[in-house]
Amino acid sequence: MSTIIFIIDYILRLVTADYKLEKGKFSFFLYPFTFLALADLLCILPSLFLLNNSLRLFKILRMLRILRVFKFIRYSKNIQILTNVLKKQKDSLMIVGLLAFGYIFISALIIFNVESSTFPNFFDALYWATISLTTVGYGDIYAVSTTGKIITMISSFLGIAIVALSAGIITAGYMKEIKELQNLFRDP
């Protein structure tokens, strides 16, 4: 039953492709190659292959039914709001991301030089710095010396600040989007 609904949805989207793409008759040829159309098609095909047992190899495509999640994303207002926030705040978030990568790299260099016996290679130091940034602290790699422990404490506090900064940017943008939507519906 759900396969029939998806097929009808796909056909209706193909028939109305010009409303979305606005390229005239060429829209009907372009639509099947859009990301969401391909995701829809990949969701439908595995169910159609179930009807024919001679195509057993293609039954692996059944796993692609998970792509149906993209259909829900298309209709979710909250996902659309979050997407708008990420687009509008992309510059701020990129700066915070660069700050985080710089922090991880510098922390890894410092701890790699301070505790060379604990961190035999630079990748282990990068792993430690990432875990310290996120304040997860798995405990598989940790500083042993007093200097290393002090660096870890400082690193954890800075990590909290960097994570809070990105969370604050996203939250402020989300609240701004919600207020803009509320004002849009209030004003006639």
Side-chain angles (χ1 to χ4, degrees):
M1 188 66 178
S2 66
T3 303
I4 293 169
I5 293 171
F6 280 123
I7 290 171
I8 291 170
D9 180 57
Y10 186 82
I11 291 169
L12 289 174
R13 287 187 184 281
L14 182 62
V15 170
T16 60
D18 189 41
Y19 291 114
K20 180 150 178 115
L21 299 177
E22 298 176 350
K23 301 217 184 219
K25 292 183 181 181
F26 197 57
S27 298
F28 303 109
F29 298 106
L30 283 178
Y31 174 75
F33 299 104
T34 62
F35 175 74
L36 290 175
L38 288 172
D40 289 346
L41 187 62
L42 287 174
C43 291
I44 294 168
L45 287 179
S47 299
L48 294 177
F49 286 134
L50 287 176
L51 302 176
N52 187 352
N53 283 333
S54 65
L55 299 172
R56 291 178 190 228
L57 177 65
F58 292 106
K59 285 188 178 184
I60 283 186
L61 289 176
R62 271 191 269 176
M63 293 185 305
L64 294 176
R65 282 194 232 167
I66 192 91
L67 292 174
R68 290 180 182 171
V69 172
F70 289 117
K71 291 184 82 61
F72 294 115
I73 291 173
R74 180 185 304 166
Y75 301 115
S76 173
K77 293 282 185 202
N78 289 326
I79 297 293
Q80 290 173 356
I81 291 172
L82 187 59
T83 303
N84 288 340
V85 168
L86 293 176
K87 285 179 186 175
K88 289 180 181 177
Q89 301 296 331
K90 121 180 119 175
D91 293 335
S92 300
L93 290 171
M94 288 197 41
I95 289 172
V96 172
L98 289 173
L99 180 67
F101 282 119
Y103 156 83
I104 288 171
F105 189 74
I106 291 170
S107 294
L109 279 174
I110 292 171
I111 202 72
F112 184 66
N113 288 317
V114 169
E115 290 212 10
S116 56
S117 61
T118 306
F119 301 97
N121 57 40
F122 190 67
F123 180 77
D124 287 343
L126 280 173
Y127 172 75
W128 168 87
T130 305
I131 297 305
S132 295
L133 169 81
T134 58
T135 65
V136 172
Y138 289 125
D140 54 346
I141 297 177
Y142 53 89
V144 178
S145 69
T146 304
T147 308
K149 290 178 181 179
I150 291 171
I151 291 169
T152 302
M153 289 188 291
I154 293 169
S155 179
S156 295
F157 279 115
L158 289 174
I160 291 170
I162 291 173
V163 170
L165 187 60
S166 60
I169 291 170
I170 292 172
T171 303
Y174 195 82
M175 296 305 294
K176 184 178 177 185
E177 278 293 312
I178 289 174
K179 285 183 182 180
E180 287 176 6
L181 283 174
Q182 287 174 345
N183 291 336
L184 182 68
F185 287 118
R186 280 190 201 146
D187 295 335

